Amino acid sequence: MERGVIVVGAGIIGLTTAVVLAEAGTPVRVWSRDPVEMTTSAAAGALWEPYRVEPQELVFDWSRRSFRVLEELAAKPDETGVRMADGIQAHPEGEGPPFWAATVPGMRRATADELPPGCASGYRARMPLVDMPTHLGHLTRRLAAAGGELEPRAITSFDEPAAEAGVVVNCTGLGARELVPDPGVRPVQGQIVVVENPGLTEWFVDPGGEGEDALYALPQPFGVVLGGTAREDEWGTEPDPEIAAGIVRRVCRLDPRLAQARVLGHRVGLRPYRHAVRMESERRPDGTLLVHNYGHGGAGITVSWGCARDAAALVARDRGI
């Protein structure tokens, strides 16, 4: 009997996976503890960039495939929330380009006059920049159009979806820590500040080094996203006013106009970091196939479509498609 697929989790990973499955003709339901607009994904920046995600060899392929999809979606930015935007990523002088540079057409070393104050070296690129609330809405509509269903439902065990579906896809992010259980999934807390745009047209990112906070300014239709933090093993989700003030002070060196920009809001999200993205399937004792697709760190949007298609391939293989 056809029992379909239940995807658990409605962040960017869960929704893209569900859309790929549903548009291929698979009956899909998405169960989510949180409304889509309250997921960690909704609080993301969100510039395409492989950030705090492993392993590199798989991330390169997932990122490359996701870049191509997002590039296509950027043809309709108002509908999809995706646009191609120019900007600069800081990169240590004397080091070779980022491992993912070959994915980005036309990426080149920035000239001295292109770099903002305090930045010694970097790369200039045109990359997808995503308005996440709009993009998540786009994915939700695509899921519905393909016959998929989105249900508000929290679970305490995979036994619950397994009782109703032949295949369960685990896209629970940080929730996998308790549900699998997988103690290797850890939060990396990120805090951002959203301000009115005083005229920025390009993005800037300094991802920082190991254990360091990032520095970025991302112009979005709703304002400029200023960031950010990368606090490992921090579980708090309430904005810290002192941290917010520090973010604004640091980012203002990029453009002094930001110091006078009106603050529109604060966001805190918990990135689901793992030593390596878990992309594999296992057969449960009850016969249900459980496909894992979690642990994407700070690169959910960056690897979303590549991972979604690999997860869907694991489902298809089990179903003999």
Side-chain angles (χ1 to χ4, degrees):
M1 181 177 66
E2 174 60 73
R3 296 201 299 151
V5 177
I6 291 178
V7 175
V8 185
I12 185 64
I13 297 299
L15 285 180
T16 49
T17 300
V19 166
V20 170
L21 287 166
E23 291 184 344
T26 303
V28 179
R29 287 182 285 163
V30 178
W31 287 6
S32 179
R33 178 192 63 192
D34 303 314
V36 172
E37 65 274 13
M38 297 297 291
T39 61
T40 296
S41 297
L47 179 72
W48 178 99
E49 178 200 5
Y51 176 69
R52 287 183 179 256
V53 60
E54 299 288 346
Q56 285 191 6
E57 61 273 15
L58 294 178
V59 168
F60 179 86
D61 181 60
W62 290 328
S63 300
R64 175 185 57 80
R65 288 190 281 160
S66 299
F67 188 105
R68 302 298 173 248
V69 175
L70 293 170
E71 193 173 36
E72 292 175 4
L73 294 177
K76 297 180 179 180
D78 292 340
E79 176 184 326
T80 67
V82 184
R83 68 189 191 282
M84 300 301 293
D86 296 309
I88 291 176
Q89 184 188 61
H91 195 71
E93 197 167 8
E95 289 190 10
F99 76 90
W100 43 265
T103 293
V104 183
M107 189 173 186
R108 62 169 175 80
R109 279 278 185 185
T111 60
D113 63 326
E114 291 173 327
L115 297 169
C119 181
S121 177
Y123 281 84
R124 185 165 183 80
R126 185 172 180 82
M127 304 198 304
L129 182 58
V130 185
D131 169 1
M132 286 304 294
T134 299
H135 187 56
L136 293 171
H138 164 73
L139 294 175
T140 302
R141 292 190 297 273
R142 278 180 65 173
L143 177 64
E149 300 177 10
L150 180 60
E151 303 176 15
R153 186 161 173 180
I155 67 171
T156 58
S157 166
F158 288 117
D159 291 344
E160 297 165 52
E164 298 189 26
V167 179
V168 176
V169 186
N170 171 20
C171 299
T172 58
L174 198 56
R177 181 180 175 90
E178 302 298 330
L179 286 168
V180 173
D182 184 349
V185 185
R186 303 160 48 208
V188 177
Q189 183 198 67
Q191 180 168 332
I192 61 175
V193 182
V194 182
V195 302
E196 284 187 340
N197 193 340
L200 273 71
T201 57
E202 298 192 351
W203 52 266
F204 175 83
V205 171
D206 183 347
E210 186 68 29
E212 295 180 355
D213 288 338
L215 172 69
Y216 50 87
L218 309 174
Q220 294 280 16
F222 53 80
V224 183
V225 176
L226 308 181
T229 60
R231 308 294 166 86
E232 297 181 1
D233 300 313
E234 288 288 341
W235 288 89
T237 56
E238 288 297 319
D240 183 317
E242 187 174 336
I243 291 176
I247 289 172
V248 174
R249 282 195 301 272
R250 289 193 302 128
V251 178
C252 282
R253 73 171 174 81
L254 304 176
D255 190 323
R257 293 177 296 174
L258 292 169
Q260 305 304 318
R262 184 167 68 93
V263 174
L264 301 176
H266 302 267
R267 302 178 190 170
V268 176
L270 303 180
R271 306 176 182 96
Y273 178 77
R274 191 174 184 269
H275 71 279
V277 172
R278 189 175 184 191
M279 177 66 70
E280 61 182 349
S281 61
E282 61 175 302
R283 183 69 60 184
R284 287 168 42 89
D286 61 7
T288 303
L289 184 73
L290 178 59
V291 175
H292 297 289
N293 183 10
Y294 68 89
H296 304 84
I301 188 66
T302 305
V303 300
S304 56
W305 290 97
C307 285
R309 287 173 173 169
D310 278 6
L314 291 173
V315 175
R317 186 180 308 159
D318 178 74
R319 293 159 60 91
I321 300 174

